[in-house]
Coordinates of all heavy atoms in Angstrom, one line a residue:
E6 N 72.1 81.6 72.7 CA 73.6 81.4 72.8 C 74.0 80.2 71.9 O 73.2 79.3 71.7 CB 74.0 81.0 74.2 CG 73.7 82.1 75.2 CD 72.4 81.9 76.0 OE1 71.5 81.2 75.4 OE2 72.3 82.4 77.1
L20 N 82.0 81.9 72.0 CA 80.6 81.9 72.2 C 79.9 83.1 71.5 O 80.4 84.2 71.5 CB 80.2 81.9 73.7 CG 80.8 80.8 74.6 CD1 80.3 80.8 76.0 CD2 80.6 79.4 74.0
M34 N 75.4 94.2 77.9 CA 75.2 92.8 77.8 C 76.2 92.1 78.7 O 77.3 92.6 78.9 CB 75.4 92.3 76.4 CG 74.4 92.8 75.3 SD 72.7 92.2 75.6 CE 73.0 90.5 75.2
G35 N 75.8 90.9 79.2 CA 76.6 90.2 80.1 C 76.6 88.7 79.8 O 75.7 88.2 79.2
W36 N 77.7 88.1 80.2 CA 77.8 86.6 80.2 C 77.9 86.1 81.6 O 78.7 86.7 82.5 CB 79.1 86.2 79.4 CG 78.9 86.3 77.9 CD1 79.4 87.3 77.1 CD2 78.3 85.3 77.1 NE1 79.1 87.0 75.8 CE2 78.4 85.8 75.7 CE3 77.7 84.1 77.3 CZ2 78.0 85.1 74.6 CZ3 77.2 83.4 76.2 CH2 77.4 83.9 74.9
F37 N 77.2 85.1 81.9 CA 77.2 84.4 83.2 C 77.4 82.9 83.0 O 77.2 82.4 81.9 CB 75.9 84.7 84.0 CG 75.7 86.1 84.2 CD1 75.2 87.0 83.3 CD2 75.9 86.7 85.5 CE1 75.0 88.3 83.5 CE2 75.7 88.0 85.8 CZ 75.3 88.8 84.8
R38 N 77.7 82.2 84.0 CA 77.9 80.7 83.9 C 77.4 80.1 85.2 O 77.4 80.6 86.3 CB 79.3 80.4 83.6 CG 80.3 80.6 84.7 CD 81.7 80.4 84.2 NE 82.7 80.6 85.2 CZ 84.0 80.6 85.0 NH1 84.5 80.4 83.8 NH2 84.9 80.8 86.0
Q39 N 77.0 78.8 85.0 CA 76.6 78.0 86.2 C 77.1 76.6 86.0 O 76.8 75.9 85.0 CB 75.0 78.0 86.3 CG 74.5 77.4 87.6 CD 73.1 77.7 87.8 OE1 72.3 78.0 86.9 NE2 72.7 77.6 89.1
R45 N 74.8 80.6 89.9 CA 75.2 81.3 88.7 C 76.1 82.4 89.0 O 75.9 83.2 90.0 CB 73.9 81.8 88.0 CG 74.2 82.5 86.6 CD 72.9 82.7 85.9 NE 72.1 81.5 85.6 CZ 71.0 81.5 84.9 NH1 70.5 82.6 84.3 NH2 70.4 80.3 84.7
E46 N 77.2 82.6 88.3 CA 78.2 83.6 88.6 C 78.4 84.5 87.4 O 78.3 84.1 86.2 CB 79.5 83.0 89.1 CG 80.2 82.1 88.0 CD 81.6 81.7 88.5 OE1 82.0 82.2 89.5 OE2 82.1 80.8 87.9
F47 N 78.8 85.7 87.7 CA 79.2 86.7 86.6 C 80.5 86.3 86.0 O 81.4 85.8 86.6 CB 79.3 88.1 87.2 CG 79.9 89.1 86.3 CD1 79.2 89.6 85.3 CD2 81.2 89.5 86.5 CE1 79.8 90.6 84.5 CE2 81.8 90.4 85.7 CZ 81.1 91.0 84.7
V48 N 80.5 86.5 84.6 CA 81.8 86.2 83.9 C 82.3 87.5 83.2 O 83.5 87.9 83.5 CB 81.5 85.2 82.8 CG1 82.8 85.0 81.9 CG2 81.1 83.8 83.4
A49 N 81.5 88.2 82.5 CA 82.0 89.3 81.7 C 80.8 90.2 81.3 O 79.7 89.7 81.2 CB 82.8 89.0 80.5
A50 N 81.0 91.5 81.1 CA 79.9 92.4 80.7 C 80.5 93.5 79.8 O 81.7 93.8 80.0 CB 79.2 93.0 81.9
L81 N 81.8 86.0 73.3 CA 82.7 85.8 74.4 C 83.8 84.9 73.9 O 83.6 83.7 73.7 CB 82.0 85.1 75.6 CG 82.9 84.9 76.9 CD1 83.3 86.3 77.5 CD2 82.2 84.0 77.9
A92 N 80.9 74.8 82.5 CA 79.6 75.3 83.0 C 78.7 75.5 81.8 O 79.1 75.4 80.6 CB 79.8 76.6 83.7
V93 N 77.4 75.8 82.1 CA 76.5 76.3 81.1 C 76.7 77.8 81.1 O 76.6 78.4 82.2 CB 75.1 75.9 81.4 CG1 74.1 76.5 80.4 CG2 74.9 74.4 81.4
Y94 N 76.9 78.4 79.9 CA 77.1 79.8 79.8 C 75.8 80.4 79.3 O 75.3 80.0 78.3 CB 78.3 80.1 78.9 CG 79.6 79.8 79.5 CD1 80.0 78.5 79.9 CD2 80.4 80.9 79.9 CE1 81.2 78.3 80.5 CE2 81.6 80.7 80.5 CZ 82.0 79.4 80.8 OH 83.2 79.2 81.4
Y95 N 75.5 81.5 79.9 CA 74.3 82.3 79.6 C 74.6 83.7 79.2 O 75.5 84.3 79.9 CB 73.3 82.3 80.7 CG 72.8 81.0 81.2 CD1 73.5 80.3 82.2 CD2 71.6 80.4 80.7 CE1 73.1 79.0 82.6 CE2 71.2 79.2 81.2 CZ 71.9 78.5 82.1 OH 71.5 77.3 82.6
C96 N 74.0 84.3 78.2 CA 74.1 85.7 78.0 C 72.8 86.4 78.5 O 71.7 85.7 78.6 CB 74.3 86.0 76.5 SG 73.0 85.6 75.4
A97 N 72.9 87.6 78.8 CA 71.7 88.4 79.3 C 71.9 89.8 79.0 O 73.0 90.3 78.8 CB 71.6 88.2 80.8
A98 N 70.7 90.5 78.9 CA 70.7 91.9 78.6 C 70.4 92.7 79.8 O 69.6 92.3 80.7 CB 69.6 92.2 77.5
A108 N 77.1 97.0 84.4 CA 76.5 96.2 85.4 C 77.1 94.8 85.4 O 77.5 94.3 84.4 CB 75.0 96.1 85.1
W109 N 77.2 94.2 86.6 CA 77.7 92.9 86.8 C 76.8 92.0 87.6 O 77.0 90.8 87.6 CB 79.1 92.9 87.3 CG 79.2 93.6 88.7 CD1 79.4 94.9 88.9 CD2 79.0 93.0 90.0 NE1 79.4 95.2 90.3 CE2 79.1 94.0 90.9 CE3 78.7 91.7 90.4 CZ2 79.0 93.8 92.3 CZ3 78.5 91.5 91.7 CH2 78.7 92.5 92.7
N110 N 75.9 92.6 88.4 CA 75.0 91.8 89.3 C 74.0 91.1 88.5 O 73.3 91.8 87.7 CB 74.4 92.8 90.3 CG 73.7 92.0 91.5 OD1 73.0 91.1 91.2 ND2 74.0 92.5 92.7
P111 N 73.7 89.8 88.7 CA 72.7 89.1 87.9 C 71.3 89.8 88.0 O 70.5 89.7 87.1 CB 72.7 87.7 88.5 CG 74.1 87.5 89.0 CD 74.5 88.9 89.5
A112 N 71.1 90.4 89.2 CA 69.8 91.1 89.4 C 69.5 92.3 88.4 O 68.4 92.7 88.2 CB 69.6 91.6 90.8
D113 N 70.6 92.8 87.8 CA 70.5 93.9 86.9 C 70.2 93.5 85.5 O 70.1 94.3 84.6 CB 71.8 94.8 86.9 CG 71.9 95.5 88.2 OD1 70.9 95.9 88.8 OD2 73.1 95.7 88.7
F114 N 70.1 92.2 85.3 CA 70.0 91.6 83.9 C 68.7 90.9 83.8 O 68.1 90.3 84.7 CB 71.1 90.7 83.6 CG 72.5 91.4 83.4 CD1 73.2 91.7 84.5 CD2 72.9 91.8 82.2 CE1 74.4 92.4 84.4 CE2 74.1 92.4 82.0 CZ 74.9 92.7 83.1
W117 N 67.3 86.5 79.7 CA 68.3 85.4 79.7 C 68.1 84.5 78.5 O 67.0 84.1 78.2 CB 68.3 84.7 81.0 CG 68.6 85.5 82.2 CD1 67.8 86.3 82.9 CD2 69.9 85.6 82.8 NE1 68.4 86.9 84.0 CE2 69.7 86.5 83.9 CE3 71.2 85.1 82.5 CZ2 70.8 86.9 84.7 CZ3 72.2 85.4 83.3 CH2 72.0 86.3 84.4
T121 N 74.5 77.7 76.7 CA 75.2 76.7 75.9 C 76.3 76.1 76.8 O 76.9 76.7 77.6 CB 75.8 77.5 74.7 OG1 76.5 76.5 73.9 CG2 76.8 78.5 75.1

Side-chain angles (χ1 to χ4, degrees):
E6 302 94 335
L20 305 184
M34 299 291 295
W36 284 97
F37 299 79
R38 66 188 182 187
Q39 187 166 24
R45 186 170 298 186
E46 66 174 347
F47 167 77
V48 176
L81 185 67
V93 177
Y94 283 71
Y95 301 88
C96 66
W109 58 267
N110 192 314
D113 290 327
F114 292 83
W117 296 86
T121 184

